Structures are given as structure tokens and as C-alpha cells.
Amino acid sequence: LVTAEADVLAEIDRVQAERDAAVADVPDDLLTEYERLRPQFGGIAVARLVGANCQGCHLSLSAMALDQVRNLPPDALAHCDECGRMLVH
């Protein structure tokens, strides 16, 4: 049991180090927003926008919301009007 616990703790440390490296270049405000949304959506705070559909909630954005998202600069943050997840557009 002690060996298994040590293995699990080592795995946690390894995964945390990988995550720290992955988020190193993410702006603080974006990371804060992501961390705020994660608990609300079972850990999935970001969804793809495919056509007019949010792949997080699988609902369609209104024509007006879709137009607003499409007119944003590529690096601008967009949210789904239905569920509130961050959208990759």
C-alpha cells in the first residue's frame, strides 16, 4: 500500500509539472477565467464552435451571437450564449 501511494503521488507530481509547463504561456486573465468555469462544467470549460453549434452544450448560437463571434479578432475570447463556455472559433 505504501508503494502504491508513493507511485500515485509521483504520478500527481509528474502530471502537475506537465500542466504547469502547458499553461506557462497562457495569460493570467484567461487562465483565471478557465479555472472559474471548469467546476461549472465538469472540468470542460472550453468548447469548439462548429458551424453554429457549441460542442460543449450542443446547442446552436443565435444568428446575432454567431455573427458577433465571427467578427471577433482570431485571438479574442468568445463565450457560448447558451452555456457560457469559452469557445474556440
Side-chain angles (χ1 to χ4, degrees), residues 45-51 53-55 69 74 76-80 85-89:
V46 179
R48 288 184 60 204
L49 180 63
V50 178
N53 295 324
C54 169
Q55 296 298 293
V69 170
L77 181 60
H79 288 85
C80 174
R85 284 182 174 91
M86 298 163 64
L87 291 174
V88 176
H89 55 99

Side-chain angles (χ1 to χ4, degrees), residues 56-77:
C57 64
H58 305 288
L59 296 175
S60 295
L61 274 67
S62 69
M64 188 169 68
L66 187 59
D67 189 51
Q68 288 174 344
V69 170
R70 287 186 175 154
N71 289 317
L72 288 172
D75 60 342
L77 181 60

